[in-house]
Amino acid sequence: MQIVRTLPELRAACAALRATAPRLGLVPTMGALHAGHGALVAASVAGGAATIASIFVNPLQFGPTEDLTRYPRDEAGDLAKLQAWGCGLVWLPGVETMYPADGATAIVPAGPAEGWEGAARPGHFRGVATVVAKLFGQVGAETAYFGEKDWQQLQVVRRMVADLHLPVAVIGVPTVREPDGLALSSRNRYLTTAERARAPTLHRALSRAATTLARGAAAASVLTTERAALERDGFAVDYLALVDGMSLRAIDAVRPGARLIVAARLGAVRLIDNIASG
Ligand code: PAF
């Protein structure tokens, strides 16, 4: 596995990979890798692509109240995992490469970026879309892999790719869960033992809501019931909603492609999750 830190090195390494593989697959990450990232790399490798993972903790997607310096970093551990998962190349750019001092361009997504995480974290999707567009331009991969865990992010990236006619196929990879249903996330490490024991309630509430909705119950009452159940369990619910899976607009009845999305705080940790509901 090759490790590169500058754009000229990246270009040379991608050109060399192109000579040996039919396609390049990009897995963008911010490090702190877990089995969820492993599933993204596995999907790329299984698709026959030479796989390039990027590790860049993107300052542009952190709000002023979010602690960028506290974001977990473990370069050596991440590299060992990527090697074991079959990654061919790791791109580790510095901030000065991604955001040169004279840089003047950003992507400002609307549509699926509005509401939910977009409302809770102003500027977040501007940061995500901008860095992902840069990574697409730098690597030039034919396919890129994103986790369904960040469902809204996946739709923002898909919309950007369609709107800007970017020559990359965006593949969503199903959420990897702990045996008790908790979606894997780099934030889970911040849960106390008691919070960790309660955290799977979030997925249970989503599953129960999906089942009740499938039986024909009214969305508004299902969402009110599950929100109250989460609050009784100690969650501060930011949102629990039934949305169209592509536009992220709230809907009042299940339909194909619908998604149940949730964000809730357990102590100091903000968890998000989603499941299909239609
Ligand atoms: O999902 C993430 O880890 C990040 O938002 C991404 C896509 C790597 C962009 O920084």
Side-chain angles (χ1 to χ4, degrees):
M1 185 178 76
Q2 210 182 332
I3 297 161
V4 293
R5 294 177 192 272
T6 68
L7 272 175
E9 284 176 311
L10 176 71
R11 299 234 155 90
C14 287
L17 282 179
R18 274 200 182 287
T20 63
R23 291 183 300 104
L24 302 186
L26 171 66
V27 177
T29 83
M30 297 211 299
L33 302 182
H34 50 65
H37 300 102
L40 304 182
V41 174
S44 173
V45 171
T51 302
I52 298 144
S54 60
I55 301 178
F56 178 64
V57 182
N58 175 30
L60 206 62
Q61 69 189 75
F62 286 77
T65 59
E66 297 171 351
D67 195 353
L68 171 65
T69 55
R70 216 176 142 243
Y71 197 83
R73 288 166 172 85
D74 175 17
E75 189 179 299
D78 289 344
L79 292 175
K81 285 177 187 151
L82 289 169
Q83 169 102 56
W85 293 334
C87 188
L89 172 64
V90 187
W91 171 220
L92 287 156
V95 178
E96 62 300 336
T97 300
M98 299 307 279
Y99 298 112
D102 57 352
T105 307
I107 309 274
V108 183
E114 288 164 359
W116 320 123
E117 291 309 290
R121 306 178 66 189
H124 172 66
F125 287 126
R126 174 179 180 270
V128 170
T130 301
V131 82
V132 169
K134 285 172 183 264
L135 291 166
F136 285 173
Q138 291 163 346
V139 175
E142 284 80 7
T143 46
Y145 297 82
F146 293 83
E148 289 185 351
K149 154 85 170 33
D150 293 301
W151 184 263
Q152 191 174 6
Q153 167 175 282
L154 175 60
Q155 306 317 314
V156 169
V157 172
R158 283 193 198 288
R159 190 68 255 160
M160 175 182 76
V161 164
D163 289 346
L164 301 182
H165 309 285
L166 301 179
V168 55
V170 175
I171 316 284
V173 176
T175 304
V176 178
R177 298 183 182 279
E178 300 283 4
D180 60 12
L182 177 66
L184 296 197
S185 164
S186 54
R187 292 180 182 176
N188 294 352
R189 71 188 68 196
Y190 298 123
L191 295 166
T192 63
T193 308
E195 289 164 353
R196 173 62 190 86
R198 250 183 302 150
T201 308
L202 203 58
H203 180 242
R204 280 201 285 275
L206 286 178
S207 303
R208 227 171 19 233
T211 306
T212 323
L213 286 168
R215 287 195 197 119
S221 95
V222 173
L223 296 173
T224 305
T225 304
E226 291 306 337
R227 186 180 181 115
L230 283 170
E231 285 169 352
R232 273 196 307 278
D233 252 320
F235 288 84
V237 180
D238 192 348
Y239 57 79
L240 169 62
L242 178 68
V243 299
D244 173 80
M246 282 174 75
S247 69
L248 271 290
R249 282 200 206 102
I251 53 177
D252 53 18
V254 282
R255 60 183 191 219
R259 210 84 197 170
L260 278 161
I261 58 171
V262 67
R265 209 173 287 277
L266 199 48
V269 185
R270 189 166 179 277
L271 299 172
I272 63 170
D273 202 351
N274 69 88
I275 59 169
S277 182

